[in-house]
Amino acid sequence: MKNNRYADKYFSVVGDSISTLEGFNPDGYKVFYYGERKELSAIHSPEDTWWGKVISRFGGKLLVNASWSGSWVAKLPDRDELFPSGCSDERTSCLHRDGKNPDIIIVYLGTNDFMFGVSPTYGGDIQRLKDQSFAYAYENMLDKIKNNYPFSEIFCCTLCRACMEKDASFRFEEERWNSTMEDFNAIIRRTAEKKSVRLIDLYALGIAYDSLEGCHPTAKGMETLAELMIKEMEK
């Protein structure tokens, strides 16, 4: 690739189930793509995932894929501690390995916050409730990542629509729990600008990825996500 400044660079990923793959996440992390799900989605190796395709396109190397299936950016309501949320100390400090820090960090997280009714914003001062709002938690997450990895280039992805090519009647729900996907994406955009990190605006490109059931990408859906991300990163 001409003028490729990411060649031989180390990439780390912060994500949820969409970015997991059996054997490629830290020990103990919950994984979506394993066993039968790998067969159903035709996702068997990193070459079939969005992050594997992106890293391969730029000639980079995977350092850590710190993705946890089912995780939110905000605090889970049934837990006393922040972990395994994206804004937790543990999730924001595990992106290095063997003495190497990532050159590039890609954050694709927030789909579960949108789908399961996390409040986009909260105007109060109670810490417990702040942690349970998306806007505060997303900013908290980026603050911690930047503090831990000050020399890494950080990309934040907006949430992307999904489709189901095998089910023509499927319609993606862009509004859930009185909030829209765009409400969450607007927060990601504002926070990325405020924290001076790069934005990959998947939603603004207006293309949905193919999914198993309206959320988790198939191999074809992963290809779509990768193409969109590469297009934005090459700008």
Side-chain angles (χ1 to χ4, degrees):
M1 182 186 299
K2 187 178 179 180
N3 299 324
N4 178 17
R5 63 192 182 92
Y6 299 125
D8 296 321
K9 300 295 185 181
Y10 286 97
F11 285 70
S12 287
V13 177
V14 183
D16 50 30
S17 56
I18 290 171
S19 303
T20 61
L21 180 64
E22 184 179 29
F24 291 89
N25 301 104
D27 290 343
Y29 274 43
K30 292 184 178 179
V31 174
F32 179 82
Y33 290 100
Y34 73 94
E36 183 182 11
R37 290 170 179 169
K38 291 168 67 176
E39 301 300 324
L40 291 172
S41 61
I43 296 172
H44 303 284
S45 69
E47 289 73 23
D48 301 319
T49 68
W50 72 260
W51 47 269
K53 294 176 184 295
V54 169
I55 294 171
S56 177
R57 174 62 177 270
F58 290 112
K61 306 169 186 176
L62 176 66
L63 188 60
V64 176
N65 182 350
S67 299
W68 183 297
S69 180
S71 63
W72 301 0
V73 177
K75 180 180 179 295
L76 293 164
D78 60 345
R79 287 181 174 261
D80 294 328
E81 68 282 351
L82 286 177
F83 184 77
S85 295
C87 67
S88 65
D89 292 342
E90 295 88 343
R91 293 287 302 280
T92 54
S93 64
C94 68
L95 305 179
H96 60 282
R97 190 180 67 188
D98 300 331
K100 299 182 185 298
N101 285 338
D103 300 295
I104 297 96
I105 298 171
I106 303 178
V107 181
Y108 185 22
L109 191 57
T111 298
N112 290 316
D113 300 75
F114 162 63
M115 295 186 72
F116 292 101
V118 171
S119 174
T121 60
Y122 176 72
D125 295 321
I126 302 174
Q127 186 67 41
R128 176 179 58 83
L129 295 179
K130 278 186 176 181
D131 289 335
Q132 292 177 0
S133 74
F134 184 74
Y136 178 84
Y138 204 93
E139 185 168 332
N140 191 19
M141 175 179 66
L142 285 188
D143 280 340
K144 291 178 178 179
I145 292 175
K146 291 189 68 176
N147 182 66
N148 290 328
Y149 306 101
F151 301 109
S152 300
E153 184 173 3
I154 302 170
F155 289 86
C156 290
C157 303
T158 56
L159 311 181
C160 191
R161 303 175 184 89
C163 63
M164 290 180 64
E165 294 188 2
K166 66 180 182 181
D167 183 0
S169 67
F170 174 78
R171 294 293 180 270
F172 184 76
E173 294 182 42
E174 296 214 29
E175 182 174 353
R176 294 171 181 260
W177 307 94
N178 299 316
S179 297
T180 66
M181 178 174 275
E182 178 57 21
D183 292 334
F184 287 80
N185 286 332
I187 290 167
I188 294 173
R189 295 187 193 102
R190 289 197 302 268
T191 309
E193 182 177 11
K194 179 179 180 181
K195 299 301 176 181
S196 300
V197 303
R198 304 285 297 280
L199 178 70
I200 299 176
D201 201 342
L202 300 173
Y203 185 85
L205 297 174
I207 299 174
Y209 62 84
D210 184 45
S211 67
L212 289 172
E213 70 312 53
C215 179
H216 297 95
T218 60
K220 185 174 182 179
M222 290 288 191
E223 179 71 33
T224 298
L225 283 172
E227 289 177 356
L228 296 178
M229 292 184 187
I230 291 166
K231 179 180 179 180
E232 291 291 279
M233 292 178 71
E234 285 182 336
K235 287 184 178 178

